[in-house]
């Protein structure tokens, strides 16, 4: 039998001025199940709460309705109060007779009448409430960071700083990511390696951080606080523990013609290699596709010269299983492939390059040792034609474009305007005799000191910015490039003879992001960027609890922004890991297996991947046993939106705290 | 069709399947019953496939495919859509089913024939073009096209979307949109006229559940209308509200899943054009969210379990005509 | 419902907890009037609203039903209101198809900051429904007093 | 229907998709011959400033090579707009070009009927 | 005593009856199917053999409000909502449906009497109409019903020129008295002639020779345990179509509906084909569709005759034959057993 107590708050005159609170208290006393009702000056006050608690004890209440201000104000207050008096906190309902009644109505009669109806609805609902206990799950105090670029590094460092173990999984032989390939950073023009490599070293030396380089995440199971990941450590045929990174093996390796991915194929490396001097871990890796020993079993030079005996041609891939409380996606980006953009002749002329290639050409550790040369002259850098006299930069190559057939992206890649200004400026500074043209659609420079930077390129360095787009680049027989573009300001078609054309290529999420997203049941947009839990308020969390986003995998961003987000992400991870156990929201969905059809409709609409299916045996009414596919909800992952309850045609899915019967009881009560 | 019979016997004989789900001849030519055949003798005696075999067999597979051994089922083009949809919802175990697609040129509907004025129909024969009707009061031959039921008059597809083998030629998907003509006609009426129309139709409902029980999309283990806990359990259509409620909720539950097989209207003892309700959903979905045919494949997300950022707003309903 | 010889509609408003319910609270905080005919039912997300709740409200005597949720793109649960949008578009289109007056149903996106919009929406909706008069087409006579 | 609507209808182009990058004009092989350039066609049609285009020789200078269509990053298809403006100009003059009663005298054994039909369709209102 | 009325004066007859009591008769709908409608000026009698739903509806409607009650804590107030019943006439009932009342009466008028049904029976006058063009589905003769001389309070025969009418009961006599001004007394020759012709057709009906002997000769348990049920029921959809169009099915369920300001207790037709039919607290007494399917036919062909001097619970109206979605029906069941 229900024993409901109803408490009507005056809220001073806030409610009492427009609602006859005594009449409300009296009216609800007539309701079936109500054994007590009272009005009181301030229900939320210490005394008001004591009144509730005393009544719960004296009247042995099974449910409490407080008619007061919005539940958004004091629901938690009254729930706590009830719990202290021994009543389950979810047996409390609030009737909002202030914000949604007394404050909007002027007339005492209709105000009172509505307050009574709202109270009845709350009573009808509380009669169907069931005591709920939030589930508790332990938290594994270790984080996994997928991707070891600047985003992953910063996130890992910050998590480690807070005292938690963190593993970085990086698919390349070294951490560092794209930033290692960049020469200088805008808008300060300081050297990228100079600021990045100390952080890489910090990672290596931090005892809380474990780096799995040359490794990939194979699978992830579990949920927030309790993930299990399988990590594949790809065989690098060099024992990481023994290798000292001396480079003797690289020196001796006879296989010299391997395209060097670090320099984007502008030069070559050996079959055994260390990507670059400051690599972390500084360990050699054998490229099995080129190694003579691996290919035909003849050579073994590296093994012979290795003093540490680190070479192991028989090394196998290794799978490591580890438990994590939180997972960070920091999978980064790549420039898109531009071989379908025939108009820019990228595939036809070596002197048409991407901006990232330009970074390598300008870098002291690059293929030209920092001297800007036309790639066609890389092998004859002394030639007087080697240095480009006229350089054309083309903006928005593959960005802001709907030409999906070419691999274009509809979004703005965000970083190109700034790095192009940087490139133009650096070139004009170092080689003042060079003419630099930048064809742009718009110049977008929001950011601290960004527009000033761009204006400096124009005003101090004399870079020619042309509002218009390049329509066509044609290589000439003499190796020069005819660039034809429009100048929309002067309404002319321009023809520039250039020595070098640099394409500001769009960036896209790394190809591995999609499969990692699937593994993590983290939602992604059509461009394969990870989706945030909330675009404004939860920008570094995935909708999947326990999965966090760091860096460009969430959307294009520059280095300062990446680092900001990486640290924010770490803060969120730490906020999770610092807890010993997670207290769930008990208002979650649950499936009645006896009614479930296993149709997967609920799974399709769940934004959190909280629903899984399994085949279960059921005793049929005719006493035979049948196997059916049924849904179950992981209460630790479910956030309680209720989308599944409506998608479910059989009504097997229901939501605690907002059940079908509760809402319908409220509907009935307000319509009575 | 002897070929169909022979193939069934062959597959039984070579052990590919241990039973056949097909159609069984009745007392007259038109009272066909879905049945399970386990031997060549049974097939010889009772199996039939002709222009009167309207029942869609796919829903039986929910139960049948969970039994021991593999079964053979014959599916007409429109039935294959239901089959696919049930596969998509994990209701049929595909590995236990051998599907043979059989051709269909539209099925003769007994109620349509009766509505043509025939009484005491003791038998019918179809040669594909014409149907000869034998009655207690004499014989007469009519055009087969005039005898088709609602589901066949506006056939959506003669193409089998799933099968292990095919008997006869595969046909084409019908894209002429003719099936939406009646829906369009209703849309053009005033709200009052539409209300009168539907009140007139739905007030005939006797809540026998034939539409629900025959519907391949209504495959719930326990229907909300049978479940006292659902809050909307109904034993009978007590009044006009409950008549509306049943058909509104039922159609909403199958929206985006209904393949438009037309069985609901075919079986309705009160001749209520229930398929129009489902077709309205299909038409709306096509117009609002792009063309979608439930059961066309087993992968595409149902329109109600999907969204795009720029879907139309519900206000689109208010900006359309037909509100005078 | 007749009050002093004047027809007053009964309006059931389903409001999502995170945006529209907060928007309704804000309307209250700012003392923005709207008719007492509106009774708000709180749901976690607009996507919690089952079509059967809407029909239930009409059955029990509501003259109009309005759903309020976060603006598309702002859903607390990322995607809930996108499903609501499809579901209710189709349901309301069907009600219209059945000849139920289309002005009796509405979906409106109201953010937590849009107290004024909430009040304005409710005023407009009440007026529109009042013009239609009593819900006769989806009523359940048993529930009439 | 006003001129702009007519052109948009004929071409089927959504000029609002243009982001003013100028790549069409950057790519146009007959740029210098034209008084108005592809991007201007798009812009001027969008702003309804169509009279100058109708009077300009540029209409007939476009080679219909479709380079602009191929290169446009937003799929605006400027050449179709130019073609539509051209058609619009022809239609405007149309009524004077050929009348039904003139057709019989044009018929001779060597002229395919189809040609006459298309001429009739294209050059009359 | 036979009376007649020229066919062209049928409307006058209906008008005269309607002037006193509500009159219901089969009317063609726009879909060509007949259903009972209340007569108003302009209503035309259907030319169809029979209605989709049976005349049972008038006496045992699909739903009946039984009473209202209000609950306040532990107090219950019961309100009898029955209004005074008015007399009514159902015209055009066929022989099969007329017989169904004999069967329903045995259920509802046996002790304890169902007062809701009894009241309706008391106030209703059934005027039957003899069949002239039976359908292939008709098999009333299997149960000894003569379609040419229907039961009911008064019976009618329709020829091209006249409507003949003859009273079977006191109520029927009263009915004829009430419209006597329109009628003329006549001989029964024309009626006899029509009966002879129609009986000849009836004798040739496809099911004229179907025998029910099997169900008389074999024991309940033998029939119950027969293996045939499995096969017969395998494609049953478990819908209630057969039950709801059946003139003799009489099972119902009692439900409460909370209106928000009181409880309405009502009864509705139920079907033994439904999974939750006679569901009890513990479970369901019939767990499989085979058992439920068997129940319906056992009831009509075995249980009911066992309790009612061998009278079958079926009148052969043929509705279930034409309406079953999967064309499984009582004739196929009878024939399957008779095969032995």
């Amino acid at each position: 039998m229900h024993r409901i107590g109803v408490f009507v708050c005056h809220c001073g005159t806030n409610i009492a001025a427009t609602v006859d609170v005594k009449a409300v208290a009296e009216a609800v006393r007539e309701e079936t199940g109500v054994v007590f009702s009272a009005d009181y000056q301030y229900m939320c006050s210490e005394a008001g709460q004591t009144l509730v608690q005393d009544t719960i004890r004296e009247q042995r209440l099974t449910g409490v309705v407080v008619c007061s201000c919005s539940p958004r104000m004091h629901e938690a207050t009254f729930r706590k109060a009830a719990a202290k008096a021994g009543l389950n906190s979810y047996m409390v309902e609030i009737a909002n007779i202030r914000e949604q009644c007394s404050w909007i109505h002027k007339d005492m009669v209709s105000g009172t009448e509505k307050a009574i109806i709202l109270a009845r609805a709350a009573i009808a609902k509380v009669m169907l409430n069931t005591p709920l206990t939030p589930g508790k799950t332990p938290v594994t105090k270790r984080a996994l960071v997928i991707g070891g670029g600047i985003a992953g590094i910063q996130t890992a460092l910050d998590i480690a700083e807070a005292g938690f173990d963190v593993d970085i999984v990086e698919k390349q032989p070294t951490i560092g990511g794209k930033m290692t390939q960049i020469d200088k950073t805008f808008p300060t023009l300081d050297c990228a390696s100079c600021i990045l490599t100390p952080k890489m070293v910090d990672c290596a030396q931090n005892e809380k951080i474990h780096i799995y380089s040359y490794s990939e995440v194979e699978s992830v199971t579990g949920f927030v606080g309790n993930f299990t990941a399988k990590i594949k450590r790809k065989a690098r045929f060099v024992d990481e523990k023994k290798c000292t990174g001396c480079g003797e093996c690289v020196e001796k390796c006879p296989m010299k013609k391997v395209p060097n991915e670090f320099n984007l194929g502008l030069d070559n490396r050996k079959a055994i290699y260390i990507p670059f001097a400051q690599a972390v871990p500084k360990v050699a890796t054998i490229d099995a596709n080129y190694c003579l020993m691996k290919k035909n079993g003849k050579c073994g030079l590296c093994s012979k010269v290795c003093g540490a005996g680190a070479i192991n041609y028989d090394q196998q891939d290794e799978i490591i299983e580890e438990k994590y409380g939180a997972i960070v996606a920091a999978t980064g980006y790549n420039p898109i492939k531009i071989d379908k953009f025939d108009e820019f002749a990228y595939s036809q002329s070596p002197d048409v390059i991407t901006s990232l290639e330009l970074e390598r050409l300008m870098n002291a550790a690059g293929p030209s040792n920092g001297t800007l040369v036309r790639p066609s002259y890389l092998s004859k850098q002394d030639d007087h034609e080697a240095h480009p006299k006229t350089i054309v930069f083309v903006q928005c190559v593959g960005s802001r474009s709907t030409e999906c057939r070419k691999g274009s992206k509809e979004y703005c890649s965000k970083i190109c305007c700034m790095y192009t200004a940087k490139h133009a400026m650096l070139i004009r500074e170092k080689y003042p005799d060079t003419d630099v043209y930048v064809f742009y659609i718009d110049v977008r420079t929001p950011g601290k000191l960004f527009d000033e930077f761009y204006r400096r390129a124009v005003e101090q360095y004399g870079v020619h910015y042309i509002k218009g787009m390049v329509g066509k680049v044609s290589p000439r027989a003499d190796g020069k490039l005819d660039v034809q573009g429009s100048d929309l300001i002067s309404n002319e078609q321009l023809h520039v003879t250039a020595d070098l054309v640099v394409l500001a290529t769009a960036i896209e999420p790394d190809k591995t992001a999609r499969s990692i997203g699937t593994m993590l049941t983290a939602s992604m947009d059509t461009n394969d960027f990870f989706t945030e839990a909330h675009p404004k308020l939860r920008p570094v969390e995935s909708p999947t609890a326990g999965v966090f986003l760091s860096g460009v995998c969430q959307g294009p961003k520059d280095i300062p922004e990446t680092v900001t987000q990486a640290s924010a992400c770490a803060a969120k991870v730490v906020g999770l890991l610092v807890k010993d156990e997670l207290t769930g929201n008990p208002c979650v969905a649950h499936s009645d297996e006896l009614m479930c059809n296993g149709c997967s409709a609920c799974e399709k609409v769940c934004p959190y991947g909280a629903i899984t299916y399994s085949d279960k045996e059921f005793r049929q009414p005719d006493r035979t046993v049948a196997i059916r596919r049924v849904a179950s909800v992981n209460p630790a992952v479910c956030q309680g939106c209720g989308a599944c309850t409506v998608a479910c045609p059989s009504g097997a899915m229901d939501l605690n705290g907002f059940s079908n019967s509760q809402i319908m009881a409220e509907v009935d009560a307000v319509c009575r | 069709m002897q070929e169909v019979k022979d193939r069934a016997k062959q597959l039984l004989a070579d052990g590919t399947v241990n039973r056949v789900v097909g159609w069984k001849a009745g007392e007259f030519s038109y009272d066909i019953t879905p049945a399970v055949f386990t031997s060549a003798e049974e097939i010889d005696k009772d199996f039939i496939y002709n222009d009167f075999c309207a029942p869609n067999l796919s829903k039986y597979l929910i139960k049948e495919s969970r039994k021991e051994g593999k079964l053979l089922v014959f599916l007409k083009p429109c039935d294959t859509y239901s089959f696919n949809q049930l596969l998509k919802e994990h209701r049929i175990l595909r590995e236990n089913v051998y599907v043979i697609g059989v051709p269909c040129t539209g099925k003769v509907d007994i109620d349509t024939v009766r509505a043509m004025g025939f009484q005491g129909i003791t038998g019918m024969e179809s040669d594909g073009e014409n149907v000869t009707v034998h009655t207690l009061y004499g014989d007469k031959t009519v055009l087969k096209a005039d005898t088709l039921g609602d589901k066949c008059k506006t056939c959506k597809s003669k193409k089998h979307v799933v099968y292990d083998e095919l008997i006869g030629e595969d046909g084409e998907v019908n894209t002429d949109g003719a099936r939406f003509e009646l829906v369009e006609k209703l849309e053009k009426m005033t709200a009052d006229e539409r209300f009168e129309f539907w009140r007139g139709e739905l007030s005939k409902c006797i809540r026998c559940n034939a539409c629900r029980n025959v519907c391949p999309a209504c495959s719930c283990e326990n229907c909300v209308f049978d479940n006292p806990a659902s809050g909307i359990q109904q034993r009978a259509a007590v009044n006009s509200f409950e008549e509306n409620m049943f058909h509104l909720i039922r159609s909403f539950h199958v929206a985006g899943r209904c393949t438009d097989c037309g069985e609901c209207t075919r079986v309705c003892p009160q001749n209520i054009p229930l398929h129009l309700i489902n077709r309205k959903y299909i038409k709306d979905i096509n117009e609002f969210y792009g063309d979608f045919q439930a059961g066309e494949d087993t992968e595409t997300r149902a329109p109600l379990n999907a969204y795009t950022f720029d879907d139309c707003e519900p206000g689109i309903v208010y900006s359309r005509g037909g509100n005078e | 419902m007749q009050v002093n010889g004047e027809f007053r509609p009964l309006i059931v408003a389903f409001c999502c907890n995170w945006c529209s319910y907060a928007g309704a609270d804000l309307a209250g905080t700012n003392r923005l009037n709207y008719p007492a005919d509106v009774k708000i039912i709180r749901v976690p997300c607009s996507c919690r609203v089952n079509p059967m709740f809407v029909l239930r409200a009409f059955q029990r005597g509501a003259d109009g039903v309005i759903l309020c949720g976060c603006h598309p793109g702002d859903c607390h649960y990322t995607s809930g209101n996108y499903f609501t949008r499809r579901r209710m578009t189709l349901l309301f289109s069907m009600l219209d198809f059945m000849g139920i007056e289309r002005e009796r149903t509405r979906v409106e996106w109201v953010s937590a900051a849009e107290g004024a919009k909430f009040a304005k929406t409710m005023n407009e909706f009440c007026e529109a429904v009042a013009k239609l008069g009593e819900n006769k087409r989806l009523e359940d006579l048993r529930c009439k007093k | 229907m006003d001129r702009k609507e007519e052109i948009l209808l004929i071409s089927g182009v959504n000029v609002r998709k243009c982001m003013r990058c100028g790549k069409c004009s950057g790519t146009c092989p007959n740029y210098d011959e034209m008084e108005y350039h592809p991007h201007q066609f798009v812009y001027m049609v969008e702003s309804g400033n169509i009279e100058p285009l109708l009077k300009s020789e540029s209409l007939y200078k476009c080679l219909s090579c479709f380079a602009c269509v191929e290169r446009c990053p937003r799929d605006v298809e400027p050449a179709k707009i130019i073609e539509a403006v051209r058609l619009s100009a022809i239609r405007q003059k149309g009524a004077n070009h050929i009348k039904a009663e003139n057709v019989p005298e044009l018929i001779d054994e060597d002229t395919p009927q189809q040609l006459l039909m298309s001429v009739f369709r294209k050059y009359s209102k | 005593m036979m009376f007649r009325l020229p066919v062209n004066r049928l409307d006058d007859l209906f008008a005269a009856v309607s002037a006193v009591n509500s009159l219901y008769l089969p009317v063609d709908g726009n879909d060509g199917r007949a259903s009972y409608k209340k007569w108003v000026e302009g209503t035309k009698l259907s030319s169809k053999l029979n209605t989709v739903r049976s005349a049972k509806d008038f006496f045992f409607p699909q739903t009946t409000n039984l009473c209202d009650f209000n609950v306040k804590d532990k107090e219950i107030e019961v309100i009898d909502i029955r209004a005074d019943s008015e007399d009514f006439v159902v015209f055009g009932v066929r022989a099969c449906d007329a017989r169904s009342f004999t069967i329903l009466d045995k259920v509802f008028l046996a002790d304890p009497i169902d007062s809701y049904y009894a009241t309706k029976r008391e106030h209703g006058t059934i005027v039957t109409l003899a069949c002239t063009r039976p359908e292939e589905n008709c098999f009333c003769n299997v149960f000894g019903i003569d379609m040419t001389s229907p039961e009911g309070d008064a019976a009618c025969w329709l020829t091209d020129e006249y409507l003949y009418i003859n009273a079977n009961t006191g109520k029927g006599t009263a009915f004829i008295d009430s419209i006597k001004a329109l009628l003329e007394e006549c001989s029964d020759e024309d009626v006899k002639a029509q009966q002879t012709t129609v009986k000849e057709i009836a004798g040739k009906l496809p099911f004229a020779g179907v025998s029910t002997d099997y169900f008389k000769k074999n024991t309940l348990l033998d029939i119950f345990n027969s293996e045939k049920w499995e096969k017969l029921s395998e494609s049953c959809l478990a819908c209630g179509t057969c039950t709801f169009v059946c003139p003799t099915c009489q099972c119902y369920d009692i439900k409460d509906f909370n209106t928000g300001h009181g409880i309405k207790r009502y009864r509705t037709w139920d079907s033994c084909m439904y999974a939750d039919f006679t569901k009890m607290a513990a479970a369901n007494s019939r767990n499989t569709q085979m058992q439920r399917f068997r129940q319906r036919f056992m009831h009509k062909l075995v249980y009911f005759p066992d309790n009612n001097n061998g009278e079958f619970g079926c009148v052969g109206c043929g509705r279930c034959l034409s309406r079953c979605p999967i064309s499984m029906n009582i004739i196929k069941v009878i024939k399957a057993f008779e095969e032995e």
Side-chain angles (χ1 to χ4, degrees), chain A residues 521-547:
Chain A
T521 63
S523 55
M524 302 184 107
D525 63 21
T526 46
N527 293 312
D528 279 3
F529 286 115
F530 283 91
T531 320
E532 319 82 345
H534 190 284
K536 288 124 209 167
L537 301 177
R538 296 170 69 195
V540 298
E541 295 158 81
S542 154
T544 305
V547 175

Side-chain angles (χ1 to χ4, degrees), chain A residues 9-10 247 467 490:
Chain A
C9 182
H10 298 216
K467 161 74 190 161
S490 67

Side-chain angles (χ1 to χ4, degrees), chain A residues 487-501:
Chain A
D487 180 341
L488 293 180
I489 307 291
S490 67
N491 203 9
E492 282 178 287
Q493 196 173 54
L494 292 183
H495 294 266
V496 181
T497 306
D499 300 311
L500 186 67
V501 170

Side-chain angles (χ1 to χ4, degrees), chain E residues 50-170:
Chain E
N50 215 343
T51 50
V52 175
R53 293 170 70 162
S54 80
K56 166 176 92 174
D57 294 24
F58 292 105
F59 304 93
F60 175 46
Q62 183 153 21
T63 63
T64 314
N65 276 335
L66 301 177
C67 65
D68 287 0
F69 46 94
N70 288 317
V71 187
K72 172 70 186 126
D73 288 327
K74 285 175 184 166
E75 285 164 40
I76 296 177
E77 177 198 5
V78 182
I79 306 155
D80 191 344
I81 43 130
R82 274 182 283 186
D84 289 336
S85 289
E86 285 176 1
D87 288 345
F88 63 96
V89 176
V90 188
F91 180 87
V93 178
R94 298 295 184 180
C96 46
D97 286 3
R99 174 66 65 81
S100 74
F101 297 112
T102 319
I103 293 168
L104 293 176
D105 285 353
K106 286 187 171 142
V107 178
F108 289 123
L109 300 183
D111 199 41
I113 290 173
D114 183 303
S115 59
Y116 295 88
Y117 177 83
T119 313
K120 296 268 189 191
R121 283 289 274 144
E122 232 165 77
H123 288 275
T125 303
I126 297 165
V127 182
T128 54
L129 185 59
C131 303
T132 50
R133 277 170 81 87
E135 292 274 8
E136 78 282 4
N137 280 335
C138 291
F139 57 104
C140 55
N141 39 12
V142 170
F143 301 104
I145 298 167
D146 180 357
M147 65 175 77
T148 66
S149 49
E151 297 162 358
D153 296 315
C156 295
W157 292 262
L158 197 58
T159 67
D160 289 343
E161 282 119 31
Y162 290 102
L163 177 82
Y164 295 87
I165 184 164
N166 182 30
N168 291 336
T169 67

